[in-house]
Amino acid sequence: MRVTVFVSGGGSNLQALLDAEKAGTLGKAQITAVVASRAGVYALKRAENHGIPSYVVSKKDFAGTAQWEARLLEVLAETAPDLIVLAGYLSILGEGVVNRYAGRIINIHPSLIPAFCGEGMYGLRPHIAALERGVKITGASVHYVNEIPDGGEILAQKAVEVLEGDTPEILQKRVMEQAEWIILPQVVAELSK
Ligand code: GRF
C-alpha cells in the first residue's frame, strides 16, 4: 500500500511511520512520498535521510486556493497514493483533494476527539486548552478526513494522563511519545492489510 505523508513541521509522526516500516511493523504500507506545506521543515530532512522523494506545496506560493489544490492534485497524480496520511499537517485540504481521495485520507490529532479539536486547534493549542480545562486524561486520535476539521470517522484513540505541573510542551511531548507515535503506525498497518 503506497502512502504519501503530508507534513508541516518537525515530522516526528513521519519518523514514527518510517521507523515502523523499517522495523517491519507497518504491515504492507510503504512510505513512498512526503509533501510539505512549506520549505525548510525538519520533516523534509527526515524524508531525505530515508531517500524518499519530497515535494513542497506552499499555499502562499499560489494565486488562489484553486491553483494550490490543482498543484496538490498534480503531485498526488505523480505519487499515486493508496493512502494519504496527514502528520502534523497544518493546511486544511479543500474539497477537491478530500473528494478525490475520499475514504483514503487519515489525520492524527493530539486530543481525544471530540474534545479540543476543530477549527484552529493545532500544535500546542489542544494541550493549552486541556490544561486550562483541567482534564485528568487527554490523548490522541486518528480519524478519516472529511470536509469538517477533525470531523471524520474515528479509527483509533489512546489516552494519556495529565500530570501535576505539566506545561503545554511537556504534555505535547507525552502525548506524542505515548499516543501519537503508537496509534498512527498501528492504524496505517491495519489499513494496509
Ligand atoms: C504536533 O503538535 C503533533 O501533536 C501534531 O502535529 C504537531 C507536529 O507533529 N500531530 P510532527 O512532529 O510534525 O509529526
Side-chain angles (χ1 to χ4, degrees):
M1 177 179 79
R2 297 170 57 83
V3 180
T4 293
V5 183
F6 279 49
V7 297
S8 291
S12 68
N13 280 287
L14 166 66
Q15 191 63 54
L17 292 169
L18 294 170
D19 294 347
E21 185 180 349
K22 201 163 174 199
T25 57
L26 206 60
K28 297 197 184 80
Q30 281 184 302
I31 311 299
T32 51
V34 170
V35 176
S37 60
R38 58 197 171 98
V41 292
Y42 192 66
L44 288 169
K45 186 88 187 101
R46 296 182 195 269
E48 188 191 329
N49 293 345
H50 272 74
I52 295 167
S54 60
Y55 303 76
V56 174
V57 182
S58 185
K59 205 170 179 176
K60 65 175 176 28
D61 295 344
F62 295 86
T65 307
Q67 290 84 342
W68 168 63
E69 269 216 302
R71 177 60 187 144
L72 280 177
L73 287 168
E74 229 173 56
V75 167
L76 288 167
E78 236 173 270
T79 64
D82 300 303
L83 180 72
I84 295 172
V85 177
L86 308 187
Y89 186 64
L90 296 179
S91 300
I92 300 292
L93 291 175
E95 57 185 36
V97 175
V98 173
N99 295 343
R100 172 81 182 70
Y101 291 90
R104 291 191 287 160
I105 311 177
I106 64 172
N107 179 50
I108 174 94
H109 180 75
S111 78
L112 296 176
I113 291 172
F116 314 124
C117 68
E119 198 76 33
M121 272 291 173
Y122 55 84
L124 282 175
R125 293 182 180 184
H127 306 297
I128 292 167
L131 291 170
E132 274 171 0
R133 185 63 186 82
V135 295
K136 303 305 176 193
I137 296 288
T138 184
S141 308
V142 178
H143 62 95
Y144 277 121
V145 169
N146 61 18
E147 61 293 343
I148 304 156
D150 302 324
E153 175 196 348
I154 294 171
L155 292 165
Q157 293 191 301
K158 192 166 190 318
V160 171
E161 264 192 301
V162 181
L163 301 176
E164 225 18 67
D166 269 353
T167 63
E169 292 75 9
I170 292 171
L171 184 54
Q172 178 183 50
K173 190 119 176 56
R174 188 179 310 120
V175 169
M176 286 167 131
E177 286 169 348
Q178 296 183 11
E180 295 180 46
W181 301 343
I182 293 168
I183 61 175
L184 186 58
Q186 277 174 350
V187 167
V188 172
E190 270 309 302
L191 291 176
S192 78
K193 287 187 175 121

